[in-house]
Amino acid sequence: MRSDAPVPQGQGSRRALLRAWGAAGAAGIAGAAWLPGRAPAQAREATAITDDLGRSVSVSLPLRRVVVFNRYTTEFIRAIGAMPAVVGVDFDGSKHPDYWPGVTSGMLAGSGQSSVHYEAIVGMQADAVFMPRNSDWKQAERVLKPFGIPVIVVTGWDLLKHEWNVALLGRLFHRTEGAARLNAFYRHWRDTLRDRLQGATPRRVYFEEVGPYKTVLQGSGWHDMIEAGGGTNVFGDIRLPGGVSPRGNVQNFEVDPEEVAARRPEVVVKLQPGQYLPHPRAFSADVLGQLAARPGWEGTPAVRHRQIHHLSYYLASGCSKITGALQIAQWLHPGRMAGIDPEAVMGTWLQTFQGVPAQRGYAWSLDRMKGGE
């Protein structure tokens, strides 16, 4: 448990109370029964569900008060119409009012999925906490169990489990119709990609995260996005025992500059920044120019053919990364993707499913900078 988590003014005894409740729970007392003001569960359906990791989790449905770690899962909940049930998140929504209207700083339940404010969660009287499988969900489960707050593992960033994730959320919130609409949208574009790219020769892609020479490996959702878009990850052959090494993890792994050039990528994609409002063209031009000028890259097919691209996290990650896969496919196989506008698909995701205005300008390419474009 975080010992340095801030205690809200006027609630200086909350940490001591949390510890006392935890001790009571460890002694076999049902912690949930001691939570002041907690709504009775008689009118709800007590059931056991199976989460992302195959764990059986006992919950009372529909869920009415939840804390959600990981933005992808929060977006799914909003997309199916269950956002009113979200009482806590792992980001300060007040810093992103355009994308998260109604999510205030008072809803902050952690600073990312590895830094959990347990006192805040107990105070929020949550019915359940959602965490992805690459979080510290085991610790959260141990701490919150005495209070009757179950931890449900749902990995919203996993492109391959999108339909399963959304169907589960629809059941948990009694929003099955909303879940079906979202899955139909995802399935349409997934199947479109498969049809358009059938028989296409995958192109070699070097995909870089925000940090220089930080790439992704098999097991990352970004790796799956590259493959769904008709590419081959040039570092997809690296396997990490246990998923981590001194160089990082499958989501963010440091590689040698010389090794990038040696693997001769045909396409380079740089991922950043993470913001709802599109970044300025000058920012893209600077990013692309620096990539093209890296020492040793001049002989790679990507630089020789100006196949260097800049992609925002928002377009890359939309709807389990299906919008990102569409954009990757547009760059890798433009002839097969004729008539498909990934940013228009992103607009539907934003406007129809997230309830915010559609935006354009999330992606740019080195070859589009010819002639001052």
Side-chain angles (χ1 to χ4, degrees):
M1 183 184 307
R2 281 175 50 100
S3 59
D4 60 340
V7 179
Q9 188 175 6
Q11 299 182 29
S13 63
R14 174 173 288 178
R15 185 173 289 118
L17 186 59
L18 180 66
R19 289 169 179 161
W21 278 341
I29 300 175
W34 293 87
L35 291 174
R38 193 174 180 91
Q42 287 85 345
R44 299 160 70 197
E45 170 198 358
T47 188
I49 59 96
T50 302
D51 73 0
D52 182 297
L53 295 176
R55 298 162 58 243
S56 180
V57 182
S58 297
V59 291
S60 292
L61 304 182
L63 295 177
R64 295 172 178 167
R65 299 180 62 84
V66 299
V67 173
V68 189
F69 285 80
N70 193 270
R71 177 173 65 88
Y72 293 96
T73 305
T74 314
E75 286 177 328
F76 293 162
I77 292 171
R78 180 161 68 172
I80 67 174
M83 194 64 187
V86 176
V87 296
V89 293
D90 63 338
F91 56 87
D92 187 349
S94 66
K95 294 181 179 179
H96 311 277
D98 293 326
Y99 193 67
W100 293 108
V103 177
T104 67
S105 57
M107 296 171 66
L108 189 63
S111 303
Q113 62 197 39
S114 61
S115 181
V116 181
H117 298 177
Y118 294 106
E119 295 91 344
I121 294 174
V122 172
M124 291 169 181
Q125 302 177 35
D127 293 333
V129 174
F130 288 95
M131 302 187 80
R133 61 175 177 264
N134 60 327
S135 67
D136 195 3
W137 63 266
K138 291 182 180 179
Q139 169 73 359
E141 181 184 46
R142 285 193 296 269
V143 175
L144 296 173
K145 185 176 181 179
F147 305 99
I149 302 176
V151 174
I152 304 172
V153 177
V154 171
T155 310
W157 54 257
D158 191 339
L159 178 147
L160 303 180
K161 296 195 72 170
H162 173 92
E163 290 189 85
W164 187 92
N165 287 331
V166 171
L168 174 61
L169 292 171
R171 178 187 173 196
L172 291 173
F173 293 99
H174 286 187
R175 295 282 183 171
T176 54
E177 291 184 6
R181 284 192 296 270
L182 177 55
N183 272 342
F185 172 76
Y186 171 85
R187 190 164 49 247
H188 168 76
W189 290 112
R190 180 203 64 195
D191 293 348
T192 296
L193 270 174
R194 289 178 178 175
D195 292 344
R196 292 290 186 103
L197 298 178
Q198 186 174 8
T201 301
R203 300 185 66 193
R204 298 190 307 279
V205 177
Y206 169 61
F207 187 87
E208 187 171 281
E209 268 274 14
V210 175
Y213 300 105
K214 295 293 185 69
T215 193
V216 298
L217 309 179
Q218 189 172 134
S220 163
W222 302 121
H223 172 92
D224 296 329
M225 179 189 72
I226 294 166
E227 291 198 336
T232 296
N233 179 4
V234 296
F235 287 99
D237 61 319
I238 296 177
R239 300 291 186 273
L240 297 183
V244 295
S245 86
R247 286 177 173 252
N249 54 45
V250 297
Q251 313 285 357
N252 200 308
F253 185 81
E254 185 175 1
V255 294
D256 296 323
E258 299 82 4
E259 187 64 18
V260 177
R263 297 195 178 214
R264 299 184 59 75
E266 298 174 272
V267 178
V268 170
V269 177
K270 178 68 173 181
L271 183 65
Q272 73 178 120
Q275 61 186 55
Y276 163 57
L277 297 178
H279 49 269
R281 283 282 170 260
F283 181 79
S284 286
D286 184 57
V287 169
L288 293 168
Q290 289 187 39
L291 285 168
R294 283 185 179 176
W297 282 24
E298 61 275 3
T300 63
V303 172
R304 285 192 288 107
H305 298 292
R306 298 177 66 86
Q307 290 302 300
I308 300 180
H309 309 283
H310 180 215
L311 180 62
S312 163
Y313 272 99
Y314 267 71
L315 178 58
S317 64
C319 195
S320 289
K321 301 182 176 65
I322 199 66
T323 54
L326 288 166
Q327 183 60 71
I328 295 290
Q330 189 71 257
W331 285 329
L332 271 55
H333 306 283
R336 290 174 174 264
M337 296 295 289
I340 295 177
D341 181 355
E343 293 212 63
V345 179
M346 180 65 177
T348 301
W349 166 248
L350 291 172
Q351 193 165 3
T352 301
F353 292 100
Q354 296 305 307
V356 298
Q359 305 286 341
R360 298 189 68 90
Y362 288 121
W364 204 247
S365 303
L366 188 65
D367 63 348
R368 295 182 68 183
M369 293 168 56
K370 295 178 181 178
E373 184 181 0

